[in-house]
Amino acid sequence: MDRVIYFDNNATTRPLDAVIEAMVPILRDGYANPSSIHQFGQQTRHRVEVAREQTAALIGASAREIVFTSGGTESINLAIRGVLSASREKRHVITSAVEHSAVRNLCGRLTDEGFAVDVLGVDGSGRLVPNELADRLRPDTALVSVMHANNETGVLFPIARVAAICAERGVPLHVDAVQSVGKLPIDVQACPMTLMSLSGHKFHGPKGTGALYVRRRTRIDAQIVGGSQERELRGGTEHVAGIVGMGVAAEAAERDMAAHAVAVGALRDRLEQRLVTTIGTSVVMGGGAERIYNTTNVAFAGLEAEAILILLSGAGICASSGSACSSGSLEPSHVIAAMGVDPRIGHGAIRFSLSHFNSADEVDEVCRLMPQIVARLESIGSASRG
Ligand code: PLP
């Protein structure tokens, strides 16, 4: 493959070399089943438990509170369905309008199944208003499920405040922290959330790996029913190499997080500021809110995101948009729509998501190309209108 500038780290990240180096010997030689009694199996069990400690340490949990899953989506399904199944008499759920499709589509299913689902709106900058949450809690609220960092805009929800409101009213809180775990310090001791979903491939671990943090004494039922693995919360022989790889990624993230926050944050700011200064039609989505340091979502008014992405891709630059192209009509993403952004602006929203593998040279290359791309598309647009 030719040189690629990879600014799509919220979609997935490049695995660390240390992750791959830890996984290969497990795939090749450490293949025993961790549930087997023999010594070979117990060696594998040990590797899984080391990874559990590493994953728990990243979020201040105890190892017993970590359930390994196949990724963020499965963790979210286990959290939401698992809690609802264990609290049968309660049928009310609260979520937000800007959740990832894993939460959003599951909540759609719940509505079809007769649950009452309340959807909290956001303001023009994508911020959640915690007091609105307090007003919507009911005696039959089984669960609140909101995200920490938004995958499209990077806007951060005030999770500590949300957790305090839920804890005060005795309502379990699930946090989709897939985009923040490994990038921001999260301490489940300091923040009383009940459950939290995370995904290995978002912090330089392997795909197909994830975990659900389940606070001690939480009532939750398994959704994948089988053997007694994962303390009977997730049946099935463990993906040992993946789990080991995620553990290594978790340990590295914990160690390097502060340094990466500074370096990646500086790159993101440089990119954002230059785009906004050089391209008059650009608007930062969620620019008025507190955001995770690796993400910027810049809308180029009057243009279609897909056209921009195609030209960027032709130049070897990977970015993305939240728009879904359905039956020929390009809808702005539900996140941008929930923020009330004018569709003529929202249609041109591009997400650049960075990691510590990026460099200032890459940022400068994107900043050099973007004005040309915008000018080219504007001239095509005005020619077709004229
Ligand atoms: N939640 C958020 C906020 C995400 O960004 C993603 C993935 O993009 C997911 C959940 C799903 O995670 P996974 O790809 O590990 O299933």
Side-chain angles (χ1 to χ4, degrees):
M1 197 169 38
D2 293 339
R3 189 179 89 116
V4 158
I5 296 182
Y6 189 74
F7 282 2
D8 201 14
N9 286 278
N10 288 7
T12 195
T13 56
R14 172 177 154 186
L16 299 174
D17 288 347
V19 166
I20 296 163
E21 280 154 22
M23 289 175 72
V24 170
I26 305 272
L27 288 167
R28 191 188 292 121
D29 306 316
Y31 53 81
N33 190 319
S35 298
S36 296
I37 296 289
H38 47 71
Q39 218 184 350
F40 189 18
Q42 288 313 296
Q43 283 167 5
T44 322
R45 164 63 50 208
H46 175 69
R47 302 303 301 269
V48 169
E49 296 315 316
V50 168
R52 201 183 304 279
E53 297 278 354
Q54 291 165 321
T55 307
L58 180 60
I59 56 168
S62 85
R64 285 174 62 81
E65 295 170 310
I66 298 296
V67 178
F68 287 126
T69 66
S70 65
T73 302
E74 188 193 325
S75 298
I76 288 166
N77 275 264
L78 172 57
I80 298 179
R81 287 247 183 238
V83 166
L84 292 179
S85 154
S87 56
R88 285 174 199 281
E89 68 290 359
K90 296 190 174 176
R91 312 244 330 147
H92 178 234
V93 175
I94 302 178
T95 185
S96 91
V98 295
E99 298 298 309
H100 182 268
S101 52
V103 170
R104 190 172 141 83
N105 291 340
L106 177 53
C107 286
R109 283 278 187 100
L110 294 175
T111 307
D112 296 344
E113 291 167 21
F115 286 88
V117 179
D118 253 328
V119 181
L120 301 171
V122 292
D123 70 11
S125 293
R127 284 177 294 222
L128 189 78
V129 183
N131 286 348
E132 216 179 291
L133 165 67
D135 294 343
R136 304 265 192 113
L137 288 170
R138 310 192 320 206
D140 67 336
T141 307
L143 183 71
V144 172
S145 181
V146 291
M147 66 203 318
H148 186 199
N150 187 276
N151 46 301
E152 289 187 27
T153 59
V155 170
L156 290 166
F157 278 178
I159 285 310
R161 177 85 192 101
V162 169
I165 291 171
C166 291
E168 198 183 315
R169 304 278 288 271
V171 175
L173 168 67
H174 165 245
V175 177
D176 172 0
V178 163
Q179 290 294 348
S180 56
V181 167
K183 294 181 203 146
L184 294 176
I186 295 178
D187 181 3
V188 296
Q189 302 306 327
C191 182
M193 76 261 290
T194 321
L195 307 119
M196 188 169 70
S197 291
L198 57 104
S199 173
H201 75 103
K202 306 289 188 183
F203 56 93
H204 306 284
K207 291 167 192 53
T209 64
L212 181 66
Y213 159 74
V214 183
R215 188 175 291 279
R216 235 170 307 218
R217 289 190 284 279
T218 301
R219 291 171 59 200
I220 179 166
D221 291 340
Q223 297 304 301
I224 297 184
V225 178
S228 58
Q229 292 92 350
E230 299 302 300
R231 301 180 51 245
E232 302 200 7
L233 275 177
R234 203 268 188 179
T237 301
E238 298 87 341
H239 174 21
V240 179
I243 287 171
V244 167
M246 184 171 74
V248 170
E251 194 175 69
E254 195 189 356
R255 184 189 61 224
D256 301 333
M257 193 183 298
H260 288 167
V262 174
V264 178
L267 290 178
R268 190 279 308 265
D269 291 349
R270 178 183 179 119
L271 172 67
E272 187 172 287
Q273 279 153 20
R274 291 204 185 171
L275 290 178
V276 172
T277 346
T278 54
I279 304 172
T281 53
S282 58
V283 188
V284 177
M285 301 287 96
E290 196 191 342
R291 288 175 296 149
I292 195 160
Y293 57 81
N294 80 316
T295 306
T296 181
N297 188 312
V298 186
F300 301 94
L303 300 182
E304 294 291 356
E306 266 61 21
I308 301 171
L309 291 178
I310 289 166
L311 293 180
L312 281 172
S313 174
I317 297 161
C318 306
S320 82
S321 80
S323 355
C325 188
S326 56
S327 57
S329 78
L330 216 50
E331 296 294 325
S333 87
H334 70 281
V335 176
I336 307 284
M339 290 161 65
V341 175
D342 180 338
R344 280 168 305 182
I345 298 174
H347 276 144
I350 302 289
R351 176 186 75 185
F352 300 97
S353 48
L354 282 63
S355 82
H356 69 273
F357 283 115
N358 293 124
S359 66
D361 283 350
E362 291 179 330
V363 167
D364 293 348
E365 177 64 2
V366 173
C367 293
R368 188 182 70 76
L369 280 171
M370 270 310 296
Q372 298 171 18
I373 289 176
V374 169
R376 186 168 156 199
L377 292 173
E378 281 176 350
S379 71
I380 295 171
S382 52
S384 66
R385 275 193 304 275

